[in-house]
């Protein structure tokens, strides 16, 4: 698996504090699988999928899950543990590792692998079998206040996912009381102060085995049939 050579960190933005405002809060609740064992310098673990590898079919096949989760996601975990061995970061939880290396050119490889572990775990939880449909009332009200309608939000998420040149992510985030859609490239995460609610992976390995170059078909099917509104509401708090 070939990893990106550089993290796509937006210039002029203090990205080093993003976890304190957003990701750390979510990791402590929704993504409990990210926690590492209590013993010092124990390896980062591959979090289990929240469903069977065939549970998202036919939108995302078991074959795609096998490669995406079993090869790519696992590869980030294996690479990160190799990169951390013997370092002063080796006994830190994942979120603190990402925060410690964000924006540091000499730690790009660690950032890429650590952030991709976090992003992928968040992505798996952003999907669920028989998802889509109407969001819970509390979330729907927030969506309507920010976008006008659920359909308008889905259109904006699709536009962000399709407009991301190359590899990256489309995110629904909370910015204070308002919801927004943002996109990031490669392993990058939303900027400081934005709380991720759900994400769509638009790296080619997320869809190419099932959809080839038809990213739009993948994104639209995911939004209609798999998106996990309950996860977004839980993250909204």
């Amino acid at each position: 698996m070939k990893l990106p050579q550089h993290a796509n960190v937006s210039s002029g933005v203090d990205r080093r504090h993003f976890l304190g405002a957003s990701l750390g809060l979510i990791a402590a609740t929704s993504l409990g699988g990210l926690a590492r064992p209590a013993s010092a310098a124990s390896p980062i673990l591959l979090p289990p999928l929240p469903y069977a590898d065939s549970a998202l079919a036919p939108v995302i096949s078991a074959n795609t899950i096998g490669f995406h989760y079993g090869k790519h996601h696992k590869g980030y975990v294996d690479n990160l543990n190799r990169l951390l061995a013997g370092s002063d970061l080796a006994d830190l939880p994942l979120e603190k590792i990402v925060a410690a290396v964000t924006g540091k050119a000499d730690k790009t490889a660690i950032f890429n692998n650590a952030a991709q572990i976090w992003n992928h775990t968040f992505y798996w939880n952003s999907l669920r079998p028989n998802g889509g449909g109407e969001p819970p009332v509390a979330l729907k009200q927030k969506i309507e206040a920010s976008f006008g309608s659920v359909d308008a939000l889905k259109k904006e998420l699709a536009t962000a996912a399709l407009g991301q040149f190359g590899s990256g992510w489309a995110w629904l985030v909370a910015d204070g009381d308002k919801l927004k859609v943002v996109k990031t490239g490669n392993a990058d995460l939303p900027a400081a102060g934005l709380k991720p609610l759900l994400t769509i992976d638009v790296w080619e390995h997320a869809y190419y085995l099932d959809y080839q170059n038809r990213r739009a078909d993948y994104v639209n099917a995911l939004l209609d049939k798999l998106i996990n509104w309950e996860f977004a509401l839980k993250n909204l708090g």
Side-chain angles (χ1 to χ4, degrees):
M1 177 176 63
K2 186 176 181 180
L3 294 175
Q5 297 301 307
H6 301 285
N8 184 18
V9 180
S10 302
S11 60
V13 178
D14 182 3
R15 305 301 297 279
R16 296 184 184 181
H17 299 96
F18 71 97
L19 289 174
S22 55
L23 304 189
L25 297 177
I26 298 170
T29 55
S30 307
L31 298 183
L34 286 174
R36 66 197 303 169
S39 58
S42 55
I44 296 289
L45 302 178
L46 177 66
L49 282 172
Y51 32 71
D53 58 5
S54 60
L56 303 183
V59 177
I60 300 176
S61 68
N63 189 38
T64 288
I65 296 291
F67 279 93
H68 192 177
Y69 173 75
K71 302 294 185 182
H72 290 273
H73 193 172
K74 183 179 184 297
Y76 296 127
V77 172
D78 294 342
N79 286 337
L80 181 61
N81 284 317
R82 175 177 52 81
L83 290 165
L84 293 179
S87 77
D88 58 356
L89 301 173
D91 60 346
L92 294 180
L94 184 68
E95 295 76 26
K96 290 187 177 181
I97 293 170
V98 178
V101 301
T102 297
K104 296 183 177 180
D106 62 334
K107 298 290 193 293
T108 295
I110 293 176
F111 172 84
N112 284 339
N113 286 278
Q116 284 291 78
I117 295 168
W118 199 96
N119 289 351
H120 277 82
T121 304
F122 197 80
Y123 168 70
W124 301 127
N125 283 276
S126 294
L127 310 178
R128 69 179 180 90
N130 302 311
E134 285 289 300
V137 172
L139 178 61
K140 185 177 180 181
Q141 290 173 344
K142 283 280 191 180
I143 291 171
E144 290 174 342
S146 297
F147 300 96
S149 68
V150 175
D151 285 343
L153 164 61
K154 290 166 65 176
K155 183 176 180 180
E156 191 163 334
L157 274 168
T159 297
L162 299 177
Q164 172 56 41
F165 183 78
S167 301
W169 305 83
W171 306 81
L172 174 64
V173 301
D175 183 8
D177 290 333
K178 186 175 179 61
L179 304 187
K180 294 182 177 179
V181 169
V182 299
K183 60 184 178 180
T184 62
N186 297 326
D188 213 0
L189 297 103
L194 301 181
K195 180 190 291 187
L197 304 183
L198 55 80
T199 194
I200 300 172
D201 187 346
V202 291
W203 283 66
E204 283 192 342
H205 60 238
Y207 61 87
Y208 205 83
L209 293 178
D210 294 328
Y211 296 91
Q212 289 75 54
N213 64 323
R214 294 177 286 112
R215 183 189 285 188
D217 290 350
Y218 154 74
V219 169
N220 289 325
L222 186 151
L223 287 169
D224 288 341
K225 299 178 181 179
L226 296 182
I227 205 71
N228 188 350
W229 298 121
E230 287 77 11
F231 179 66
L233 178 61
K234 183 177 181 181
N235 292 327
L236 185 61

